[in-house]
Amino acid sequence: MSSADFLVHGLIKAFELIFSLNPYILSITGVSIKVSGTATILAALTAIPLSFALAFLNFRGKQAVITLINTGMGLPPVFVGLFIFVMLVPAGPLGFADIIFTPSAMILAQYILVTPIITGISLSAIKAVPKSIIETVYTLGGSRKDAIIAALSEARFGIITAILAGLGRALSEVGAILIVGGNIAETGSIGGIGEGLSKTRTLTTAITSETSKGGDFSTPIALGIILITLNLSVNLLANYFQRRD
Amino acid sequence: MVFGEKEVLKDINLQIMRGEIFALVGPSGSGKTTFLRLLNFFERPEKGNLEFNGMETSGIINIRRRMSLLFQTPAIFNKSVFENVAYGLKVRGIDKKTIEKKVSEALDIVGLSGLGNQKARTLSGGEAQRMAFARAIVYDPEILLLDEPTANLDPANVMKIEEIIKRIRKERETTILLATHNIPQVRRIADRVGILINGELIEVNTKNAIFKNPGDNRSEAFLKGEMIY
Ligand SMILES: Nc1ncnc2c1ncn2[C@@H]1O[C@H](COP(=O)(O)OP(=O)(O)OP(=O)(O)O)[C@@H](O)[C@H]1O
Ligand SMILES: [Mg+2]
């Protein structure tokens, strides 16, 4: 087999796997979306109020929180993975929760990775709302609450962009979820490839393990195509909202 | 009123009559904007209190709601024209029907009927200024503070805005405080005039008196356009 044949063969088989809705591939995609989606939603629920508090309130320790967020935006995922792992192992301080190697542990890790990103980006979107907009709210008779709502409304596309950036980051992240999730699938083999249904195996972690198996690359290629498609959709959506602004 | 080391407004004592158009004129940097912002509670004097009809100003929002400040460069909400104009009514919890009625009245006054659904950020400069005007008068403020409402407009739009100002005063008996350095405009629409130079209110009089017989040679120089600044 020539090297071109090898690639073409891998691609064709990869598309076959995708379009035949192979259950192994499907279950991995499902875990990815569930984990990253849930983590992003929880992170947004924390990050948006937090960014408003940082923009509008003065409280003690505010500077420390900002420093924490700036640091958090660039945290190496493997470090977060290691940290959560040490917390969650049976002997660790949060061992009683008994969630190590489950999707919950993965959600927790991605939540910690993504929250600073959404907070940082939406904070700068809120700060970009001109002071004159807020003063206009007040002169037209608005309350402080109205001013906050107006800022949210003016920054809405920026905040959506922040959430999508968080989702994109979560979907493509591998280091943290590999450590705390363990890349686990059921034993056996379904649809002639891989193993049983995914438990904590995601698109990214599966690509890592399936690639290192060697031999037939159609499975990791199929996973890669799905991952890229998801990421591309998220980016296109973000672009759309940026253009709406 | 002091910014840093700079005293921008000095002990100003000014009475404005109900229902008049009072023009506050003065060179650029004389403190006109600062004075209007002070009246609308955006700046705080370092000495003394702000009182409104003898009321202490602890409930700022309730006093602000009786007036309206049209900024020198109005900020536009990233929403439709209708929603921009409706804003002051919405925050007062007015019902939808009344809002629709009042907004369409206000848009009619400023000559923007039919543009309600357009995105406000796509309006031309003149239209945007008139929309901001509609937004400022839609809730019938007792006092309207106008900060150079016709700066950067073409003559046609200047005329339109001046007509609107006169109409509002006539129909609604709104008290209007107009900051401007446009002397011909003062001649056209003001009842009384105050001259602010370097933060000092050097003269207040009726328009006719002040143009005929200025009581201060700095006023005279400014009104004749001879002041070098
Ligand atoms: N926030 C501020 N901090 C410091 N100085 C200020 C501030 N706001 C205004 N000033 C100064 O106060 C003075 C009066 O400014 P103001 O904007 O009231 O002038 P104006 O009469 O409205 O001028 P124009 O006709 O150019 O609009 C100016 O010298 C200005 O630089
Ligand atoms: Mg000014």
Side-chain angles (χ1 to χ4, degrees), chain A residues 86-106:
Chain A
V86 173
M87 300 298 278
L88 290 182
V89 286
L94 297 177
F96 62 89
D98 196 23
I99 57 167
I100 189 77
F101 302 135
T102 68
S104 301
M106 299 155 79

Side-chain angles (χ1 to χ4, degrees), chain B residues 33 72 147-148:
Chain B
T33 297
Q72 197 161 351
D147 195 357
E148 315 222 17

Side-chain angles (χ1 to χ4, degrees), chain B residues 102-163:
Chain B
K102 294 217 166 209
V103 170
S104 89
E105 273 171 22
L107 285 176
D108 185 53
I109 289 176
V110 301
L112 292 179
S113 292
L115 293 190
N117 290 326
Q118 192 171 332
K119 279 180 108 180
R121 295 246 165 105
T122 64
L123 292 174
S124 78
E127 288 167 346
Q129 188 75 20
R130 282 186 278 143
M131 183 204 76
F133 205 105
R135 188 173 64 182
I137 59 164
V138 75
Y139 51 85
D140 282 326
E142 291 165 54
I143 303 172
L144 188 54
L145 308 170
L146 302 174
D147 195 357
E148 315 222 17
T150 59
N152 314 317
L153 292 183
D154 71 335
N157 271 299
V158 171
M159 293 300 288
K160 278 184 202 157
I161 296 270
E162 289 179 4
E163 287 307 316

Side-chain angles (χ1 to χ4, degrees), chain A residues 135 138-141 154 156, chain B residues 37 40 65 78 92 121:
Chain A
E135 291 191 340
Y138 286 132
T139 195
L140 294 173
E154 292 297 309
R156 62 191 181 272
Chain B
R37 288 175 59 86
N40 211 210
R65 283 187 169 190
N78 195 359
R92 285 168 175 75
R121 295 246 165 105

